[in-house]
């Protein structure tokens, strides 16, 4: 399936979540795709961290998410609601905590 490349830039944000060691990164990525809405273009894990700041039996997984539109340039305000939906979905399904 072909999709035309948008002339408008994407909004990229990095989100890091603290989860249990047993939560697969692929499951988190799938949940992000489900919750991100129609303007979510890409999800990629780019970092994993374990250490004292996170706690035993936990790890931090960082994802780069990209939002875009073929009709206009999105703003940070435009992606605030889908971002909040992602955070809420991961908290509900995996007890994930967004790192600040």
């Amino acid at each position: 399936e072909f999709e035309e490349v948008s002339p408008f830039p994407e909004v990229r944000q990095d989100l890091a979540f603290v989860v249990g060691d047993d939560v697969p990164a692929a499951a988190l990525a799938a949940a992000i795709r489900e919750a991100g809405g129609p303007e979510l273009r890409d999800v990629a894990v780019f970092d994993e961290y374990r250490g004292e700041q996170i706690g035993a039996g936990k790890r931090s997984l960082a994802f780069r998410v990209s939002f875009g539109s073929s009709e206009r340039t999105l703003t940070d305000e435009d992606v605030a609601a889908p971002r909040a939906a992602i955070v809420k979905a991961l908290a509900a399904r995996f007890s994930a905590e967004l790192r600040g």
Side-chain angles (χ1 to χ4, degrees), residues 1-91:
E1 185 174 316
F2 173 77
E3 186 175 322
E4 191 171 319
V5 176
S6 174
F8 302 103
E10 293 181 338
V11 175
R12 293 187 180 107
Q13 296 186 347
D14 295 341
L15 304 172
F17 295 94
V18 176
V19 294
D21 276 336
D22 60 336
V23 178
L28 289 169
I32 290 170
R33 284 186 187 90
E34 288 174 18
E39 293 178 330
L40 180 68
R41 298 291 184 246
D42 191 40
V43 177
V45 64
F46 71 90
D47 187 47
E48 176 183 27
Y49 174 78
R50 296 169 199 258
E52 287 183 23
Q53 295 92 348
I54 303 300
K58 296 187 180 249
R59 64 183 174 158
S60 171
L61 291 169
F63 294 86
R64 180 158 294 127
V65 295
S66 301
F67 298 91
S69 170
S70 60
E71 299 172 359
R72 65 188 177 91
T73 300
L74 299 177
T75 65
D76 286 336
E77 292 81 27
D78 293 328
V79 300
R83 181 182 189 270
I86 290 169
V87 172
K88 184 177 178 181
L90 269 57

